[in-house]
Amino acid sequence: MAASDPVPTSGDPKAERRDFAHLLSIGHQEIDRITDEVEQIYQSQPTEWLQVEAVGQMIINVQGWYEDYDEFEDAVGGSFPDFLRALPHIEVSTDDRGVAVFKVLPPDPDASPTVYTLNVTKREDLWRVLYKSADASVRFPAIDFEIGADQKRRIDTVYNHITNAVWNLSSHLRGRQGNVASDTVSSITETIDKLNAMLDIEEPFTIIVDDPTGVSMFKPSDGVEIVTL
């Protein structure tokens, strides 16, 4: 097996994070369904490494989401191998024939509870990819807000994790319009405003991921403080 391919980058960390953001700019629902299908196909096969293109064709043929491979790669924002490289829990390599292959890295069942701390000081930090495990919570201590564990792993840029929280809070207000106390509405609206301000990096802020399973991860992980408990 050849050495694993890195995510394409110019060597500039800022450019690298832009690459991640571009590859995962298709929206969290699209990422979820493609990643879920990749994982299910991988788990159904007996071999450690699977051919990237073959799995892409299986997604197209079995699910019927896309007309052909070109449309599929348009949907993932580039080549399918590059999309997989952007995912923290998938390793992409090439076999002896130069064919792109991948494997899904299984969670470590013996991993200790872990706390990950990222200080967001510039826009590039919002373009990191966060693999949030099903049991992990994400805290924003500056505004006393938490994205709780929801029993499903989430893979997205930090930016999209925040925008999804904004969308969920806004939907909560819309869905219960007229049935929420005014002080609660004010509190939720204030939180939405603060989250949106974070997207503009009006001032540095900290993200803390508490994961009792220890399998969450950021990619790239440079500058992330990781403490096992």
Side-chain angles (χ1 to χ4, degrees):
M1 182 66 60
S4 299
D5 296 333
V7 173
T9 173
S10 64
D12 177 357
K14 293 183 179 180
E16 181 177 351
R17 288 170 197 155
R18 284 194 294 271
D19 288 337
F20 280 113
H22 172 70
L23 290 166
L24 296 184
S25 63
I26 60 177
H28 68 92
Q29 291 182 333
E30 189 85 353
I31 293 171
D32 278 347
R33 76 171 186 171
I34 293 173
T35 306
D36 284 345
E37 192 65 24
V38 167
E39 291 173 349
Q40 290 174 24
I41 292 172
Y42 183 82
Q43 291 165 5
S44 71
Q45 303 301 309
T47 56
E48 181 182 14
W49 295 87
L50 300 182
Q51 290 187 9
V52 172
E53 184 172 356
V55 170
Q57 291 290 357
M58 290 177 68
I59 293 173
I60 295 167
N61 296 334
V62 174
Q63 296 298 342
W65 294 334
Y66 310 100
E67 184 174 334
D68 53 32
Y69 205 83
D70 288 340
E71 183 180 330
F72 174 53
E73 292 203 314
D74 285 343
V76 300
S79 76
F80 189 36
D82 285 349
F83 173 82
L84 293 178
R85 287 187 185 97
L87 301 176
H89 67 310
I90 290 181
E91 181 179 339
V92 178
S93 185
T94 53
D95 64 16
D96 295 337
R97 297 169 297 169
V99 175
V101 293
F102 77 94
K103 65 178 178 180
V104 176
L105 304 176
D108 181 359
D110 299 319
S112 300
T114 305
V115 177
Y116 310 79
T117 302
L118 171 66
N119 293 314
V120 178
T121 61
K122 52 191 178 300
R123 179 161 293 276
E124 287 78 19
D125 290 324
L126 295 174
W127 297 333
R128 296 175 189 259
V129 178
L130 169 59
Y131 176 109
K132 174 184 174 294
S133 80
D135 298 299
S137 62
V138 181
R139 292 188 286 118
F140 300 82
I143 63 172
D144 193 26
F145 177 72
E146 177 177 311
I147 300 173
D150 58 5
Q151 304 311 306
K152 188 180 190 307
R153 65 102 179 89
R154 304 285 178 183
I155 305 171
D156 218 327
T157 59
V158 170
Y159 185 97
N160 283 343
H161 278 288
I162 296 174
T163 59
N164 192 47
V166 169
W167 189 89
N168 286 335
L169 290 172
S170 300
S171 295
H172 177 74
L173 288 182
R174 289 194 299 270
R176 302 184 62 185
Q177 194 169 19
N179 297 316
V180 181
S182 59
D183 57 341
T184 301
V185 172
S186 297
S187 177
I188 294 176
T189 301
E190 182 180 1
T191 298
I192 291 172
D193 290 341
K194 289 178 178 178
L195 287 169
N196 280 323
M198 287 179 169
L199 296 175
D200 294 329
I201 314 290
E202 293 185 358
E203 59 183 35
F205 63 92
T206 299
I207 296 174
I208 300 174
V209 179
D210 292 300
D211 188 352
T213 64
V215 300
S216 294
M217 62 188 86
F218 284 92
K219 188 174 184 179
S221 61
D222 57 293
V224 178
E225 179 185 351
I226 302 174
V227 178
T228 55
L229 305 178

